[in-house]
Amino acid sequence: MPELPEVETVRRGLEPVMTGRRIARAEVRRPDLRWPLPERMAERLTGAQVQGLRRRSKYILADLSTGETLLIHLGMSGRMLISGQMLGEFHHDHPAPARHDHIVLEMEGGARVTFNDARRFGMMDLLPTAAAEAHPLLAALGPEPFGNAFSEPYLVARLKGRNTPVKAALLDQAVVAGLGNIYVCEVLYRAGIDPRRKAGRIAADRVAALVPLIRQVLAEAIEAGGSSLKDYRQADGELGYFQHAFRAYDREGAPCLTPGCPGTIRRIVQSGRSTWFCPACQR
DNA sequence: ATGTGTTCCTGTCCGC
DNA sequence: TGCGGACAGGAACACA
């Protein structure tokens, strides 16, 4: 499901029910997601107070009073559902466990957080907070797009000499952390760059222009609460609405929205994944 | 080292 | 309606 804006939206949704609260009871309803869950996960979570919720790339990190950090990745279809808490004007009662409800966290105070993941490409792990950044899944990640380390000179240097299509390069989490298929398509569309171009053969000023565009697209998407495709929802059950702002993604056959451009959005497949772009104005 | 294709899993949608 | 195939927000892994 989720790219950086959706994960950030989920993190923000979880904050009021989790941060500062104790996990009264944890239930692990199956032993594995993408990989086996950590040993004795339910016991290690039970009684722990959540001291903070962080995000790194598409991961959520819950720092616990036990000195451990719960690392969460939602994969393609993972969701964090909140129930039993006053949310806006509505009171949500606890629903009966549903298909693919794999992990249930009952928070002190009555809220319940349920991790549901039909495809089970998601993951969870428990690691010492002090060594969280050294976790194999986090160690190789590139810079956060909103951080100072993600700069125009950085991106120009990072793409220099790369022979892979720029679409694939921006999907590479070691180049920049958090972009996925939707937002790469949207960024390249706004940049007017053909996704098939080799990353190392694009003029430096055009590569540099990607940096503020990446931040802009991600910031707009976070502002909109992410993109709701299929049944993705924010943790509080609200739908994100950035999907209405897509200019390229999933618009095959639709007219290009660039003023004056006569083009039609086309879908191609690159390294096994769909790319949508305008062949007329993306060069 | 880079680049590419395959794989994990379930659900949904579309054409016949 | 049923059935088969394509496709889906990710990314580790194996191999050229």
Side-chain angles (χ1 to χ4, degrees):
Chain A
M1 146 175 81
E3 306 181 34
L4 187 154
E6 291 75 35
V7 175
E8 178 60 20
T9 299
V10 169
R11 189 196 69 77
R12 292 180 184 185
L14 292 174
E15 205 139 47
V17 297
M18 292 189 78
T19 300
R21 304 279 185 86
R22 202 167 292 279
I23 299 171
R25 196 178 72 88
E27 183 186 357
V28 176
R29 297 169 52 84
R30 66 170 295 143
D32 61 305
L33 297 172
R34 177 171 185 166
W35 296 297
L37 289 162
E39 295 290 317
R40 299 175 46 253
M41 186 170 94
E43 293 90 322
R44 287 157 76 182
L45 292 176
T46 298
Q49 186 190 48
V50 178
Q51 300 191 308
L53 286 173
R54 294 182 281 154
R55 181 190 55 72
R56 172 76 169 108
S57 187
K58 302 170 191 174
Y59 294 87
I60 292 172
L61 294 87
D63 295 317
L64 307 174
S65 56
T66 54
E68 292 194 298
T69 291
L70 176 64
L71 181 68
I72 303 167
H73 195 290
L74 302 175
M76 287 279 252
S77 55
R79 290 180 282 168
M80 298 290 265
L81 304 166
I82 298 171
S83 58
Q85 176 85 357
M86 290 302 291
L87 293 166
E89 306 164 36
F90 303 100
H91 182 81
H92 298 246
D93 289 323
H94 295 311
R99 192 162 161 74
H100 309 307
D101 282 354
H102 303 312
I103 287 129
V104 179
L105 304 178
E106 285 184 19
M107 306 303 299
E108 70 180 353
R112 177 182 290 181
V113 176
T114 301
F115 178 85
N116 178 291
D117 185 7
R119 294 178 74 180
R120 256 184 299 120
F121 292 167
M123 62 87 54
M124 281 194 195
D125 203 357
L126 271 168
L127 44 139
T129 302
E133 299 287 320
H135 191 278
L137 293 169
L138 302 182
L141 290 173
E144 283 294 313
F146 294 112
N148 291 334
F150 184 63
S151 66
E152 298 172 6
Y154 162 81
L155 189 61
V156 170
R158 198 69 174 73
L159 297 189
K160 188 169 185 174
R162 284 203 61 168
N163 208 32
T164 194
V166 63
K167 161 81 185 306
L170 293 180
L171 275 178
D172 182 348
Q173 302 296 298
V175 170
V176 55
L179 292 177
N181 207 31
I182 291 176
Y183 298 106
V184 168
C185 290
E186 294 300 309
V187 164
L188 290 173
Y189 175 83
R190 293 193 191 192
I193 294 174
D194 189 320
R196 299 167 295 188
R197 297 267 315 253
K198 307 259 191 193
R201 301 230 182 109
I202 301 171
D205 61 328
R206 304 187 73 209
V207 172
L210 286 167
V211 170
L213 277 174
I214 286 167
R215 291 184 172 136
Q216 181 187 88
V217 169
L218 294 177
E220 286 177 21
I222 291 169
E223 183 73 18
S227 302
S228 292
L229 309 186
K230 314 279 181 197
D231 51 1
Y232 163 75
R233 281 160 187 269
Q234 301 179 27
D236 61 4
E238 293 297 308
L239 292 168
Y241 53 88
F242 191 75
Q243 67 278 9
H244 302 301
F246 292 167
R247 300 182 198 171
Y249 184 86
D250 201 25
R251 292 192 68 245
E252 184 178 21
C256 178
L257 296 173
T258 299
C261 179
T264 300
I265 302 297
R266 185 147 89 88
R267 184 180 82 92
I268 59 173
V269 175
Q270 294 181 285
S271 48
R273 310 200 59 193
S274 291
T275 299
W276 289 266
F277 73 109
C278 174
C281 66
Q282 290 180 251
R283 317 300 301 186

